[in-house]
Amino acid sequence: MNYLVIVIAAVLVNNIVLMQFLGICPFLGVSKKVSTATGMTGAVAFVMVLATIVTYLIQKYILDSLGLQFLQTIAFILVIASLVQLVEIILKKASPSLYQALGIFLPLITTNCAILGVAILTIQYEYNLLEGVVFAISHAIGFGLALILFSGMREHLDLMDVPKGMKGTPIALLAAGILAMAFMGFSGLV
């Protein structure tokens, strides 16, 4: 039951983008096409889960045992940056088209505060490794859900007759606000 609560809370109630406002840069930058948003979701999910596992192990077996908890943020950033480089190398060889589509946004995963936030929250909530992995997967699903829904909205908005002063970023921010308000409807769920 605890795992179900973690999943529902991470995906719907405390959505990492729409409720905690982490990961806004890729949310706004990669959300112009659903195909690109789907690719970014996969890359972020992979890095988020892998980073949570590695940072959990570093925290428990190195930082805590040596009394170096104050190095948590720096250590976590280094781990995430290394994992993003690994993902970039894999994507370049496995899927060159996705690598080209993500373009500049792939290196932005390095500074995606959603990944760092999930890693730190896993430690703060005192989850064990399995709960941390479920937490990371759930937040990755929530990130992907928000990103894909928002990119679908943006594709639809491009087809609409939007007033000249609202075209582009203003209407996108307004749509993001409406999407966030829709997710607030889940706030009493858990």
Side-chain angles (χ1 to χ4, degrees), residues 24-47:
I24 297 294
C25 185
F27 178 71
L28 293 174
V30 186
S31 60
K32 291 181 180 169
K33 291 176 22 181
V34 173
S35 59
T36 309
T38 306
M40 179 61 117
T41 297
V44 166
F46 178 74
V47 172

mmCIF file of all heavy atoms in Angstrom, residues 24-47:
data_model
loop_
_atom_site.group_PDB
_atom_site.id
_atom_site.type_symbol
_atom_site.label_atom_id
_atom_site.label_comp_id
_atom_site.label_asym_id
_atom_site.label_seq_id
_atom_site.Cartn_x
_atom_site.Cartn_y
_atom_site.Cartn_z
ATOM 1 N N ILE A 24 11.415 23.052 -14.917
ATOM 2 C CA ILE A 24 10.653 23.959 -15.782
ATOM 3 C C ILE A 24 11.362 24.222 -17.115
ATOM 4 O O ILE A 24 10.717 24.340 -18.152
ATOM 5 C CB ILE A 24 10.385 25.298 -15.052
ATOM 6 C CG1 ILE A 24 9.513 25.061 -13.824
ATOM 7 C CG2 ILE A 24 9.756 26.328 -15.960
ATOM 8 C CD1 ILE A 24 8.115 24.601 -14.120
ATOM 9 N N CYS A 25 12.694 24.283 -17.102
ATOM 10 C CA CYS A 25 13.440 24.586 -18.329
ATOM 11 C C CYS A 25 13.144 23.576 -19.444
ATOM 12 O O CYS A 25 12.748 23.975 -20.538
ATOM 13 C CB CYS A 25 14.936 24.673 -18.027
ATOM 14 S SG CYS A 25 15.917 25.187 -19.427
ATOM 15 N N PRO A 26 13.300 22.266 -19.211
ATOM 16 C CA PRO A 26 12.931 21.339 -20.286
ATOM 17 C C PRO A 26 11.428 21.292 -20.529
ATOM 18 O O PRO A 26 10.987 21.032 -21.643
ATOM 19 C CB PRO A 26 13.454 19.981 -19.805
ATOM 20 C CG PRO A 26 13.716 20.124 -18.370
ATOM 21 C CD PRO A 26 13.941 21.579 -18.099
ATOM 22 N N PHE A 27 10.650 21.566 -19.497
ATOM 23 C CA PHE A 27 9.192 21.575 -19.645
ATOM 24 C C PHE A 27 8.768 22.612 -20.673
ATOM 25 O O PHE A 27 7.938 22.343 -21.538
ATOM 26 C CB PHE A 27 8.538 21.853 -18.290
ATOM 27 C CG PHE A 27 7.038 21.926 -18.322
ATOM 28 C CD1 PHE A 27 6.288 20.786 -18.513
ATOM 29 C CD2 PHE A 27 6.390 23.131 -18.141
ATOM 30 C CE1 PHE A 27 4.896 20.843 -18.528
ATOM 31 C CE2 PHE A 27 5.007 23.201 -18.151
ATOM 32 C CZ PHE A 27 4.260 22.056 -18.350
ATOM 33 N N LEU A 28 9.347 23.795 -20.606
ATOM 34 C CA LEU A 28 9.001 24.851 -21.554
ATOM 35 C C LEU A 28 9.774 24.730 -22.862
ATOM 36 O O LEU A 28 9.274 25.081 -23.924
ATOM 37 C CB LEU A 28 9.249 26.227 -20.932
ATOM 38 C CG LEU A 28 8.334 26.597 -19.767
ATOM 39 C CD1 LEU A 28 8.771 27.912 -19.143
ATOM 40 C CD2 LEU A 28 6.893 26.659 -20.209
ATOM 41 N N GLY A 29 11.002 24.234 -22.795
ATOM 42 C CA GLY A 29 11.860 24.213 -23.973
ATOM 43 C C GLY A 29 11.603 23.083 -24.939
ATOM 44 O O GLY A 29 11.777 23.243 -26.140
ATOM 45 N N VAL A 30 11.206 21.921 -24.449
ATOM 46 C CA VAL A 30 11.077 20.740 -25.303
ATOM 47 C C VAL A 30 9.623 20.419 -25.602
ATOM 48 O O VAL A 30 9.314 19.413 -26.216
ATOM 49 C CB VAL A 30 11.773 19.532 -24.629
ATOM 50 C CG1 VAL A 30 11.802 18.322 -25.524
ATOM 51 C CG2 VAL A 30 13.194 19.889 -24.250
ATOM 52 N N SER A 31 8.719 21.272 -25.198
ATOM 53 C CA SER A 31 7.303 20.927 -25.288
ATOM 54 C C SER A 31 6.613 21.431 -26.547
ATOM 55 O O SER A 31 5.397 21.503 -26.577
ATOM 56 C CB SER A 31 6.577 21.477 -24.059
ATOM 57 O OG SER A 31 6.702 22.879 -24.000
ATOM 58 N N LYS A 32 7.358 21.727 -27.588
ATOM 59 C CA LYS A 32 6.704 22.230 -28.803
ATOM 60 C C LYS A 32 6.152 21.103 -29.674
ATOM 61 O O LYS A 32 5.221 21.310 -30.423
ATOM 62 C CB LYS A 32 7.675 23.090 -29.594
ATOM 63 C CG LYS A 32 7.991 24.380 -28.878
ATOM 64 C CD LYS A 32 8.920 25.261 -29.654
ATOM 65 C CE LYS A 32 9.177 26.520 -28.840
ATOM 66 N NZ LYS A 32 10.247 27.324 -29.352
ATOM 67 N N LYS A 33 6.745 19.907 -29.580
ATOM 68 C CA LYS A 33 6.266 18.757 -30.353
ATOM 69 C C LYS A 33 6.171 17.548 -29.431
ATOM 70 O O LYS A 33 7.038 17.319 -28.592
ATOM 71 C CB LYS A 33 7.223 18.459 -31.512
ATOM 72 C CG LYS A 33 7.182 19.543 -32.574
ATOM 73 C CD LYS A 33 8.143 19.443 -33.728
ATOM 74 C CE LYS A 33 8.715 18.131 -34.075
ATOM 75 N NZ LYS A 33 9.648 18.199 -35.216
ATOM 76 N N VAL A 34 5.133 16.754 -29.609
ATOM 77 C CA VAL A 34 4.918 15.577 -28.771
ATOM 78 C C VAL A 34 6.046 14.567 -28.955
ATOM 79 O O VAL A 34 6.492 13.938 -27.994
ATOM 80 C CB VAL A 34 3.535 14.932 -29.067
ATOM 81 C CG1 VAL A 34 3.374 13.618 -28.323
ATOM 82 C CG2 VAL A 34 2.416 15.883 -28.704
ATOM 83 N N SER A 35 6.546 14.416 -30.172
ATOM 84 C CA SER A 35 7.608 13.436 -30.413
ATOM 85 C C SER A 35 8.876 13.790 -29.634
ATOM 86 O O SER A 35 9.517 12.909 -29.044
ATOM 87 C CB SER A 35 7.912 13.341 -31.910
ATOM 88 O OG SER A 35 8.313 14.604 -32.414
ATOM 89 N N THR A 36 9.243 15.057 -29.629
ATOM 90 C CA THR A 36 10.416 15.490 -28.875
ATOM 91 C C THR A 36 10.170 15.356 -27.380
ATOM 92 O O THR A 36 11.068 14.951 -26.631
ATOM 93 C CB THR A 36 10.765 16.952 -29.217
ATOM 94 O OG1 THR A 36 10.842 17.094 -30.635
ATOM 95 C CG2 THR A 36 12.089 17.359 -28.617
ATOM 96 N N ALA A 37 8.971 15.677 -26.943
ATOM 97 C CA ALA A 37 8.634 15.561 -25.522
ATOM 98 C C ALA A 37 8.702 14.108 -25.070
ATOM 99 O O ALA A 37 9.164 13.814 -23.958
ATOM 100 C CB ALA A 37 7.239 16.131 -25.267
ATOM 101 N N THR A 38 8.280 13.189 -25.918
ATOM 102 C CA THR A 38 8.343 11.770 -25.579
ATOM 103 C C THR A 38 9.788 11.310 -25.449
ATOM 104 O O THR A 38 10.135 10.580 -24.516
ATOM 105 C CB THR A 38 7.604 10.931 -26.642
ATOM 106 O OG1 THR A 38 6.275 11.430 -26.783
ATOM 107 C CG2 THR A 38 7.549 9.474 -26.261
ATOM 108 N N GLY A 39 10.634 11.745 -26.361
ATOM 109 C CA GLY A 39 12.050 11.396 -26.283
ATOM 110 C C GLY A 39 12.710 11.963 -25.038
ATOM 111 O O GLY A 39 13.490 11.275 -24.366
ATOM 112 N N MET A 40 12.387 13.198 -24.709
ATOM 113 C CA MET A 40 12.942 13.828 -23.516
ATOM 114 C C MET A 40 12.456 13.115 -22.260
ATOM 115 O O MET A 40 13.203 12.944 -21.301
ATOM 116 C CB MET A 40 12.563 15.303 -23.472
ATOM 117 C CG MET A 40 13.093 16.017 -22.252
ATOM 118 S SD MET A 40 14.881 15.982 -22.167
ATOM 119 C CE MET A 40 15.246 17.692 -22.293
ATOM 120 N N THR A 41 11.203 12.676 -22.278
ATOM 121 C CA THR A 41 10.655 11.931 -21.140
ATOM 122 C C THR A 41 11.453 10.662 -20.900
ATOM 123 O O THR A 41 11.804 10.346 -19.760
ATOM 124 C CB THR A 41 9.180 11.584 -21.392
ATOM 125 O OG1 THR A 41 8.435 12.793 -21.497
ATOM 126 C CG2 THR A 41 8.608 10.735 -20.284
ATOM 127 N N GLY A 42 11.749 9.946 -21.959
ATOM 128 C CA GLY A 42 12.541 8.718 -21.823
ATOM 129 C C GLY A 42 13.929 8.983 -21.281
ATOM 130 O O GLY A 42 14.410 8.278 -20.388
ATOM 131 N N ALA A 43 14.584 10.013 -21.809
ATOM 132 C CA ALA A 43 15.934 10.347 -21.350
ATOM 133 C C ALA A 43 15.924 10.787 -19.885
ATOM 134 O O ALA A 43 16.765 10.360 -19.089
ATOM 135 C CB ALA A 43 16.530 11.442 -22.231
ATOM 136 N N VAL A 44 14.970 11.628 -19.515
ATOM 137 C CA VAL A 44 14.875 12.099 -18.127
ATOM 138 C C VAL A 44 14.538 10.936 -17.195
ATOM 139 O O VAL A 44 15.100 10.832 -16.104
ATOM 140 C CB VAL A 44 13.836 13.243 -18.002
ATOM 141 C CG1 VAL A 44 13.482 13.510 -16.556
ATOM 142 C CG2 VAL A 44 14.374 14.504 -18.651
ATOM 143 N N ALA A 45 13.641 10.054 -17.622
ATOM 144 C CA ALA A 45 13.268 8.911 -16.783
ATOM 145 C C ALA A 45 14.478 8.020 -16.525
ATOM 146 O O ALA A 45 14.730 7.609 -15.380
ATOM 147 C CB ALA A 45 12.149 8.120 -17.440
ATOM 148 N N PHE A 46 15.225 7.737 -17.571
ATOM 149 C CA PHE A 46 16.399 6.886 -17.423
ATOM 150 C C PHE A 46 17.411 7.513 -16.464
ATOM 151 O O PHE A 46 17.888 6.867 -15.534
ATOM 152 C CB PHE A 46 17.037 6.640 -18.790
ATOM 153 C CG PHE A 46 18.279 5.806 -18.735
ATOM 154 C CD1 PHE A 46 18.199 4.441 -18.501
ATOM 155 C CD2 PHE A 46 19.530 6.377 -18.909
ATOM 156 C CE1 PHE A 46 19.342 3.664 -18.442
ATOM 157 C CE2 PHE A 46 20.680 5.603 -18.848
ATOM 158 C CZ PHE A 46 20.588 4.240 -18.629
ATOM 159 N N VAL A 47 17.712 8.780 -16.675
ATOM 160 C CA VAL A 47 18.689 9.464 -15.825
ATOM 161 C C VAL A 47 18.159 9.614 -14.404
ATOM 162 O O VAL A 47 18.908 9.431 -13.435
ATOM 163 C CB VAL A 47 19.070 10.842 -16.422
ATOM 164 C CG1 VAL A 47 19.926 11.637 -15.459
ATOM 165 C CG2 VAL A 47 19.795 10.663 -17.744
#
